[in-house]
Amino acid sequence: MSCLSRVEVARSASFRLTIGYATTFVVGLLAFALLAGLAAQLFIDFQGRSRVEAELASLQEAFRQGGLAAVTARTAEMAEAYDDLEIAAMVTLGEKPPGVLSEVSDWRLLTAADVDEDETPIARSTEIGADLWLTVATETESYHDVGELMWASLAWTLAIAFPMALFSGWQLSRSVAKRLQPIEMTTGGVRDGELSRRAPVSAKGDEFDRLASNVNAMLDTIEVLTRNLRNVTAGIAHDLRTPLSRVRNRLLLLGQDDVGGRERRVEDAIRDIDETLATFDALLKIGQIEAKTGRRDFKPVQLSQLVADLAETYAAVAEARGKSLDARIVQNVEVRGDRALLAQLLSNLLENAIEHTPEKTQIVVELSNGPAGRALAVRDNGPGIPAVEREHIFERFYKAGSGDAKAGNGLGLSIVRSICGLHGFDISLSARPHDTCFTITF
């Protein structure tokens, strides 16, 4: 497996998505920090103004009740109540206190030579007597501290969050690309003709393993279909070449025969053409069955009655061939499906048992409904199917060399398998000398 390059990781969709989400996250975090800082500043400013308003009203009431002595006493209480000169009051004679930098209504921002910028108090003055002004002020250091903390938070957010997001996105993209690379290499190999390639599946059972399993299942189906196509092509070429060659030879010899000989050659040619047409009809039948992808048109089918009718019909055929056919049918077994296709399925199995077994063979068709589920079995005590042929028995154009001559076109059991696949049934073969059984479970 080749190593992942930086370019491949940078171009990956996961990396781009991670960068996009990280950018959105950082921008959102910055906006939240900015709004939170502004809200904190507004809250501190509101608290300071409210505190000044309350203390100013308290001092005014003290002056009305006890004059300057009461104001002085109340100011001393304020000094003890508030640490670090958070709030202070003073009474001046004359005009408003000097040093006003800005004014909103009668709120003032006062300065002093020995006071830092971030300690500049917010003050409010009111006239309490003739040329007497009462001023209450509160410090603004905490207001500036919040602003500094806000900008520091924004700076650290940019310095840490975004690089961490980039690093996380890079690692995530490498991890995703590493898990997807085997699947990409597998599909590339299959594209180049290596149909046996399969994607590795780990024991984690995550979405990548489920994807790999689905890809492998798809490749299994493609490989089977490709192999079937090759077999069908070879089978058609092999099975149709012989009858068509015979027809050609008979046509060439027509001029050399008498009237009776020409009639026999024409009859033989018609029979060969009928066999060829039957082969094409069977192939078309398989194609039509496999082309059906849905089961919406399926209806309940009384399988017990269907099996009984077909067993009665084929019992006469078997008897004419010197064989016997017995039916063991459980009543009231019902399945959902296509009645015509189910009849075709059982007919092919019975014809297969009759055609490929010698005289005096006993054939049994059994429909059961036991604890293990419903099942249909067609059994015979003929010579059996050799082990080397069992794995090919359902392939198209394959003819087992048992019983009579290799009759038929080798498509009967392929049709059976296609019908079972359409209905979701399972078909299995158990074979040993003098005991061959095809079992369909519903």
Side-chain angles (χ1 to χ4, degrees):
M1 185 182 300
S2 61
C3 296
L4 296 171
S5 66
R6 292 187 176 89
V7 175
E8 291 175 327
V9 175
R11 290 179 177 176
S12 65
S14 58
F15 183 72
R16 294 197 301 270
L17 287 174
T18 303
I19 296 304
Y21 286 128
T23 303
T24 303
F25 172 76
V26 171
V27 171
L29 190 62
L30 291 175
F32 175 78
L34 180 62
L35 291 176
L38 292 176
Q41 286 185 335
L42 291 175
F43 179 73
I44 293 174
D45 182 69
F46 173 78
Q47 273 192 325
R49 289 171 182 260
S50 298
R51 190 162 48 187
V52 169
E53 289 278 6
E55 295 300 338
L56 187 62
S58 175
L59 290 171
Q60 284 180 298
E61 181 65 23
F63 180 79
R64 283 193 297 268
Q65 293 182 1
L68 289 176
V71 171
T72 302
R74 176 59 186 158
T75 302
E77 293 177 1
M78 289 171 53
E80 294 179 0
Y82 297 100
D83 297 332
D84 300 327
L85 300 178
E86 291 180 352
I87 188 167
M90 63 180 177
V91 177
T92 58
L93 178 66
E95 298 180 354
K96 288 184 181 181
V100 176
L101 294 179
S102 63
E103 181 176 348
V104 179
S105 183
D106 59 344
W107 286 96
R108 309 166 190 277
L109 188 62
L110 303 179
T111 61
D114 57 346
V115 176
D116 295 335
E117 181 181 354
D118 60 353
E119 296 178 355
T120 302
I122 296 177
R124 188 176 186 187
S125 300
T126 184
E127 190 174 13
I128 59 175
D131 293 333
L132 287 178
W133 289 87
L134 174 64
T135 301
V136 178
T138 182
E139 55 86 17
T140 59
E141 182 178 2
S142 58
Y143 183 88
H144 292 283
D145 289 344
V146 171
E148 292 175 357
L149 179 62
M150 178 188 68
W151 292 113
S153 299
L154 295 179
W156 280 108
T157 299
L158 288 175
I160 297 177
F162 198 73
M164 286 296 296
L166 287 176
F167 178 76
S168 300
W170 183 270
Q171 294 299 321
L172 176 62
S173 301
R174 281 178 56 86
S175 177
V176 172
K178 186 176 180 180
R179 294 296 302 276
L180 290 177
Q181 189 181 37
I183 300 177
E184 181 181 359
M185 294 178 64
T186 299
T187 54
V190 172
R191 178 198 59 200
D192 295 335
E194 302 178 27
L195 297 181
S196 61
R197 292 283 295 271
R198 295 295 181 269
V201 180
S202 69
K204 297 179 180 178
D206 54 16
E207 60 273 17
F208 295 103
D209 289 329
R210 293 194 295 271
L211 174 63
S213 298
N214 289 334
V215 169
N216 290 342
M218 177 188 66
L219 294 178
D220 290 339
T221 302
I222 292 175
E223 185 177 15
V224 170
L225 292 176
T226 304
R227 186 171 61 249
N228 288 342
L229 180 60
R230 292 171 181 171
N231 293 341
V232 167
T233 303
I236 291 176
H238 180 271
D239 277 46
L240 300 187
R241 181 180 179 86
T242 299
L244 291 177
S245 297
R246 288 201 301 263
V247 170
R248 180 179 181 279
N249 293 333
R250 287 176 179 133
L251 292 176
L252 291 175
L253 295 174
L254 280 179
Q256 304 177 9
D257 295 331
D258 54 16
V259 176
R262 284 197 297 269
E263 291 179 353
R264 286 193 300 273
R265 293 189 185 280
V266 170
E267 292 175 357
D268 291 339
I270 292 175
R271 184 172 60 253
D272 290 336
I273 293 176
D274 289 340
E275 292 178 1
T276 303
L277 292 175
T279 299
F280 279 113
D281 288 340
L283 289 172
L284 289 174
K285 186 70 173 180
I286 294 174
Q288 292 170 356
I289 294 171
E290 294 181 347
K292 294 182 178 181
T293 57
R295 305 174 185 173
R296 290 175 296 180
D297 297 332
F298 284 1
K299 298 178 180 179
V301 177
Q302 280 291 336
L303 192 60
S304 299
Q305 186 61 46
L306 178 62
V307 174
D309 293 341
L310 290 174
E312 182 179 358
T313 299
Y314 280 95
V317 177
E319 184 177 359
R321 301 286 296 271
K323 307 168 187 180
S324 64
L325 193 154
D326 296 327
R328 303 169 186 173
I329 303 171
V330 174
Q331 298 301 314
N332 300 321
V333 175
E334 184 178 273
V335 296
R336 286 188 61 84
D338 186 307
R339 180 181 176 84
L341 292 179
L342 294 177
Q344 178 79 60
L345 180 151
L346 182 55
S347 297
N348 285 12
L349 290 177
L350 293 175
E351 289 176 1
N352 181 75
I354 293 173
E355 289 290 335
H356 299 284
T357 55
E359 291 185 3
K360 299 182 180 181
T361 297
Q362 295 178 348
I363 303 170
V364 177
V365 55
E366 181 177 5
L367 179 62
S368 59
N369 188 11
R374 297 166 296 176
L376 174 65
V378 177
R379 182 187 303 272
D380 67 72
N381 63 350
I385 302 175
V388 294
E389 297 184 346
R390 293 171 195 167
E391 60 182 58
H392 305 290
I393 198 69
F394 292 105
E395 295 179 1
R396 298 177 187 180
F397 297 108
Y398 187 81
K399 302 176 184 178
S402 63
D404 299 338
K406 292 187 178 181
N409 51 28
L411 295 173
L413 292 179
S414 296
I415 294 177
V416 170
R417 182 182 60 181
S418 297
I419 295 175
C420 287
L422 174 64
H423 287 77
F425 302 157
D426 292 326
I427 183 168
S428 60
L429 167 65
S430 61
R432 57 181 184 268
H434 306 296
D435 187 11
T436 301
C437 182
F438 290 91
T439 303
I440 299 172
T441 54
F442 306 102

